[in-house]
Structure formats: C-alpha cells, structure tokens
Amino acid sequence: MSNAVLESESTESEQSANNTLIVYFSRWGNTEYPSDVDATTSASIVVENDLRYGTTEYVANMIAENVGGDLHRIETVTPYTADFDELRDVNHDEMSSNYLPELKESNLDISAYDTVFIGYPVWATDVPQAVLSFLKEYDLSGKTVIPFCTHDGYGAGNSYQTIAEASHAAVSLEGIAIEAKDIPNAQDTVSSWLADIGISKSKVQTGTPIKITVGEVSLDGILYDTELAEEIKTYFPLTISMVGYGGREYYGGVEFYPEHLEGGQKNFENGDITYCEAHHNMAIFYAQTDDPILSVDVIPIGRVTSDLSVFNNLDNEEEIIFSLAE
C-alpha cells in the first residue's frame, strides 16, 4: 500500500473530486491496546512495514487504492477494552439495550459525498453499535451505500441488511466479507469485488436512482448527472424491446434522437447502461468479455447496481422498462 493512501483521516479541504467516502470502524484506534501489543495474538491487527493497522482499516485502504476517495475512521469517545471476553460482554450489553456510543467530533461534511462505503468488523453476527451511532448522526439518504466487513470465520451475518435499513440509502450495493486471516493478501479479492459491482476510479459516479423492470423482476440503477442522461430521462418511463446479444448485453432501438452526444467510447464495464448514436439504441451490458472492444462508440448514461446475474436467465427478447425510482 502507498503511504499516501495510509494517511487515513480526511479533512473538508481534502475531499475527493469523485465524491466517494470510505467510512470504517475498527478495534484498532478505538481500543486501549498496550503500546507493545503483539499483533500476532489479535485477529484485529495487520502489520505492514513494522506499522500496525486494524483489519477493517486495512481493507478500507485497499478500497481507496482501487477507487480513490476519502477515508474517515469512526471513533468513540470512550475506548473499548482490549480483553476479548470483556469486549464481547460490552458489545452484547450495547446491543441488547440499543445503546449508541458517543462518537468523537469531526469535521466530516457528509453532504459532499454521493457514494459511501461503510466498513466494520462483524460483532455477534451484526454491526457494532458505533457504526449505528454514525448512521444516526449522518444523513445518508439519497446516497449509494456499499458495506464491507471483516470477520473471524462466520461471515457477514445480518450486517448487510442492518446497514441498508439504518442508512436509508437510495441504493445499496452488494457488500464483501473477508475473513481476518485472509486480509493481508486480499488485494485481488477486493479489486474483483469492486469490478463486479461496477465500481472503479473511472466509474464512481452517482446520479438519479432508477428502476429497471423486466417482467416481474425489478432492478436498481443510477442515471448519471450528464446532459445526455438528463435528456433521455425526460422520456421516462421508457419501454424498450431489447434483444440479448453475445451473452454480454441486451440492446434495443429508441424513437428519439438525443442532441448531447459527448463521451463516446469503444469499451464497457459490467452494469453499464449506454446509448449508441450509430445504431440509435440503448443497451445494458451485464457480462464482461475477455476483450471488451466494440465496433462503434457507446456513451455510458448510467449503470445497473443490482445483481447482474439475473440477465443470464432472461429470454432472448424482453420488454425492459426504465423508470425513476419512487
């Protein structure tokens, strides 16, 4: 990891141009560890170049290396105990009483961000209460929220649903759960996950939440804040007869002729919703080929944020409806 990325705390003047925030809660930084703590005895600590990082913090930095953005550590006013058994009891008490620990003050301006990653260790099969304190304090409604978590072998538990409900997110993307022992070598795992959900440095965009309906299947999506996307949005709800092609896309002609045609490209990423001037059609790309080079330019106008595997089971011809999310 680069030293630049590992400088974790963001300030208002440092906020990233791509409006992405990576929030995380970690035992490291919130626990009264002795100064000479042996990292090998704790699954919550990763050592790199003689420096110690929390496991969740370490994953947060991996995400930042892939997509950019700012990092923000959730810190409680009262630190947690280093003793695991005592911590377990404290956490159970906080959960059973729905206690929300007080957080340290920060200069975080949440309104500056549209995409927010939320990271945490899984405690008692769910989210630590400190994360719920953050979600109560900061308004994430209308944003794209993406959970990521670390665990000791039992997976994400109920945490993804908890994050989706407590954040009131406009769009909740598929999360990732990484076992603590695998974290030091999880770079490829994190990169593949980000690609699968359609997030990269070039694709971290936000906009208007939309619904893509195919029969009884309803998918979530985003329409970008571009002139072309705004122009096409005026035709919503928009029904297009679309045909499957090449195991990678569904495409169909449209009856309007947009005027704003900047940003054409001959490549695509999973989840892209595009307009093609040459073929006068829109398409949804759902599967990346080994060589994703197209014969004509397409212009990304949005992306599908739901699980793309549904497209593998559709008929060759489908009526697909694009509409604004309620």
Side-chain angles (χ1 to χ4, degrees), residues 137-178:
E137 182 173 340
Y138 293 95
D139 181 12
L140 272 59
S141 61
K143 302 182 187 298
T144 296
V145 173
I146 310 168
F148 65 97
C149 63
T150 59
H151 62 91
D152 291 333
Y154 297 97
N158 303 315
S159 65
Y160 293 166
Q161 181 177 351
T162 299
I163 292 292
E165 293 175 353
S167 66
H168 304 290
V171 177
S172 296
L173 298 189
E174 180 182 355
I176 189 172
I178 306 177

Side-chain angles (χ1 to χ4, degrees), residues 86-99 129:
E86 291 180 5
L87 174 65
R88 180 183 56 202
D89 293 340
V90 169
N91 179 60
H92 286 168
D93 289 343
E94 289 184 349
M95 293 179 71
S96 62
S97 63
N98 198 28
Y99 174 74
Q129 293 295 109

Side-chain angles (χ1 to χ4, degrees), residues 188-210:
D188 289 344
T189 300
V190 171
S191 296
S192 295
W193 163 62
L194 292 168
D196 287 345
I197 63 174
I199 300 290
S200 68
K201 282 185 179 178
S202 63
K203 298 297 290 185
V204 177
Q205 300 189 50
T206 56
T208 304
I210 62 173

